[in-house]
């Protein structure tokens, strides 16, 4: 199998971390592609009509895409326990919160990178960051208990989302007022799977 991916993407990183945490990394080839909102990689477009990464090219079925779909597939394939039944809805909600942080932050990156400076909207950027701010504070106040205990997909998603904020939007300072979450992230970032997928 092949994973079409670009290392800076936080959605890709979620999958790459899961590959390592589940021991599947030796069974799937990671294929780096260059794709943007304005110029899609042809292999990605052929496998995913939305032309988004990550995409998993399977040997025995059609390609599957969206990090949440791929990670459920990998979890089942490895017989891992990243989606514990006893806390499933809470873990999925935490993963969705992490994905929403990623979506807002990636949108901000695209706005600044691919839209001409004169056409950029500071108000829109601030509105996206407000989503990030509310989400990180919600995790700090409501979801910290789900970031402890055995590894789950919610933890991986939050770690990848926060690391992406550091990569692309560090100047906005998500750690302010989120001391406990910041300490958790600093510790989680030392997992080998996170170190192996880090982008500077």
């Amino acid at each position: 199998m092949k994973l079409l991916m670009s290392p800076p993407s936080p959605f890709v990183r979620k999958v790459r971390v899961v590959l390592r945490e589940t021991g599947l990394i030796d069974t799937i080839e990671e294929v780096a592609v260059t794709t943007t909102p304005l110029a899609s990689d042809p292999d990605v477009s052929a496998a995913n009509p939305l032309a988004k990464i990550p995409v998993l090219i399977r040997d025995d079925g059609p390609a599957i895409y969206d990090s949440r779909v791929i990670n459920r597939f990998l979890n089942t394939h490895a017989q891992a326990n990243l989606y514990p039944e006893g806390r499933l809805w809470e873990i999925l909600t935490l993963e969705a919160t992490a994905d929403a942080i990623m979506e807002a932050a990636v949108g901000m990156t695209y706005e600044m990178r691919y839209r001409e400076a004169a056409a950029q909207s500071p108000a829109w950027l601030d509105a996206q960051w407000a989503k990030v701010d509310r989400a990180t504070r919600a995790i700090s106040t409501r979801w910290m208990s789900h970031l402890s205990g055995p590894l789950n997909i919610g933890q991986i998603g939050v770690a990848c989302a926060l690391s992406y904020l550091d990569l692309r939007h560090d100047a906005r300072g998500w750690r302010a007022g989120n001391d406990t979450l910041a300490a958790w992230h600093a510790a989680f970032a030392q997992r080998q799977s996170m170190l192996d997928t880090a982008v500077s």
Side-chain angles (χ1 to χ4, degrees), residues 152-171:
N152 63 63
I153 196 63
Q155 296 169 359
I156 294 171
V158 170
C160 292
L162 297 178
S163 293
Y164 185 77
L165 297 182
D166 286 340
L167 178 67
R168 297 295 190 222
H169 305 292
D170 186 53

Side-chain angles (χ1 to χ4, degrees), residues 23 52 56 99 118 133 156 164:
K52 291 183 176 182
L56 183 64
D99 277 11
D133 185 58
I156 294 171
Y164 185 77

Side-chain angles (χ1 to χ4, degrees), residues 62-112:
I64 59 176
Y65 44 88
D66 189 284
S67 61
R68 284 172 287 196
V69 175
I70 296 171
N71 280 338
R72 288 299 289 260
F73 173 85
L74 297 175
N75 183 73
T76 299
H77 195 66
Q79 297 184 335
N81 191 33
L82 298 177
Y83 301 84
E85 284 295 329
R87 297 189 297 166
L88 180 60
W89 303 117
E90 291 81 5
I91 295 302
L92 290 177
T93 301
L94 184 57
E95 181 188 19
T97 304
D99 277 11
I101 293 173
M102 296 179 193
E103 289 167 3
V106 169
M108 292 172 66
T109 300
Y110 287 168
E111 176 78 2
M112 294 182 292

Side-chain angles (χ1 to χ4, degrees), residues 112-124:
M112 294 182 292
R113 182 169 293 180
Y114 297 108
R115 192 183 295 273
E116 293 181 6
Q120 291 177 16
S121 169
W124 187 87

Side-chain angles (χ1 to χ4, degrees), residues 22 40 170 183:
T22 57
S40 300
D170 186 53

Side-chain angles (χ1 to χ4, degrees), residues 132-196:
V132 171
D133 185 58
R134 288 194 300 270
T136 53
R137 293 185 188 282
I139 294 171
S140 290
T141 58
R142 190 180 310 162
W143 298 104
M144 284 305 302
S145 63
H146 294 282
L147 295 179
S148 61
L151 183 68
N152 63 63
I153 196 63
Q155 296 169 359
I156 294 171
V158 170
C160 292
L162 297 178
S163 293
Y164 185 77
L165 297 182
D166 286 340
L167 178 67
R168 297 295 190 222
H169 305 292
D170 186 53
R172 288 188 177 255
W174 69 263
R175 289 174 176 80
N178 293 312
D179 294 347
T180 302
L181 180 59
W184 173 86
H185 177 256
F188 195 94
Q190 295 307 305
R191 294 183 74 94
Q192 194 60 49
S193 63
M194 293 292 289
L195 295 173
D196 288 347

